[in-house]
Amino acid sequence: MPKRIFVLNGHPADNSLNHALADSYVKAARAAGHDVRLTHLHDLSFDMDYEFAGYKKSKPLEPALETVMSDLEWCEHFVLATPMWWGSLPAKLKGLFDRTLLPGRAFDTRVPPGSMPKPMLGGRTGRVLLTSDSPKWFLSLMYRGAMLHQLRGQILKFIGIKPAKISYFAGASHPKPGQPEKWLRQAGTLGGQAA
């Protein structure tokens, strides 16, 4: 069954492993008959700073962010390709989430006192293609998988995207010979399966 898939390459540079992983996923997904939209973070122009404390003031979304939000609302499956920098997301990608995932479209704060906001993008699944220099065991042991919890729970699940599975590609800056090609094939396999 064809799926509507939105792929966001969250690397701020125009030439990266994340770009290649996203492209490999998209190529295979389209070949399998899925309807795919692809956005590269480096192509987007927007103010990364929300600026306000709380959500009482509203800062209009730039056209690029409005398109990202519309694509999230349109999709059935969301794929994010991102590097891990300093244990977290690149600043521009974090800024995209800060500016775009707002109450009224991504989550609903009109809930009883003491309750968690209600996700507004439910019914969608997710996949993160995460590149890192740190091996996964090190991330788990030393940092208790903080970024994995942030991505899966504090961002994607919070707005309703679940399950969100993570594919981890470690040793990204200095991969062993043949490793990048293997990773690209893995991304392609996931794309063909819309997984």
Side-chain angles (χ1 to χ4, degrees):
M1 192 75 146
K3 278 189 181 177
R4 297 188 307 272
I5 305 172
F6 173 40
V7 179
L8 174 62
N9 165 28
H11 198 295
D14 63 359
N15 183 18
S16 68
L17 175 58
N18 294 102
H19 192 297
L21 290 168
D23 284 346
S24 182
Y25 187 103
V26 167
K27 183 178 178 183
R30 286 180 175 155
H34 301 291
D35 190 1
V36 185
R37 295 180 182 176
L38 171 64
T39 295
H40 296 288
L41 182 66
H42 60 79
D43 290 334
L44 305 182
S45 178
F46 61 93
D47 182 358
M48 301 187 309
D49 190 354
Y50 185 74
E51 294 175 359
F52 306 125
Y55 294 118
K56 290 183 180 178
K57 291 185 179 181
S58 177
K59 185 173 184 177
L61 296 182
E62 291 90 342
L65 296 184
E66 185 59 52
T67 299
V68 167
M69 191 62 210
S70 295
D71 288 343
L72 278 170
E73 292 169 331
W74 165 84
C75 77
E76 297 170 292
H77 185 61
F78 173 57
V79 179
L80 172 66
T82 182
M84 179 174 72
W85 286 354
W86 293 105
S88 188
L89 302 170
K92 188 173 181 181
L93 179 58
K94 179 62 166 58
L96 180 144
F97 289 146
D98 287 349
R99 291 287 320 284
T100 307
L101 304 179
L102 299 173
R105 287 186 71 182
F107 59 94
D108 188 352
T109 57
R110 296 169 300 171
V111 294
S115 299
M116 290 293 290
K118 181 180 177 184
M120 295 182 71
L121 294 173
R124 293 159 179 80
T125 55
R127 168 73 60 177
V128 177
L129 307 175
L130 179 61
T131 59
S132 172
D133 288 333
S134 301
K136 193 172 183 181
W137 67 263
F138 186 84
L139 178 66
S140 298
L141 183 64
M142 296 301 292
Y143 303 117
R144 296 186 175 89
M147 184 177 179
L148 307 183
H149 293 296
Q150 177 193 34
L151 283 167
R152 205 176 2 231
Q154 294 176 281
I155 297 175
L156 298 178
K157 185 178 177 183
F158 190 85
I159 61 174
I161 298 176
K162 62 180 184 178
K165 298 181 179 177
I166 297 178
S167 297
Y168 196 78
F169 305 96
S173 293
H174 305 285
K176 296 175 183 176
Q179 193 69 57
E181 293 77 14
K182 181 180 176 184
W183 292 337
L184 294 176
R185 286 193 299 272
Q186 285 178 262
T189 298
L190 291 169
Q193 298 169 348

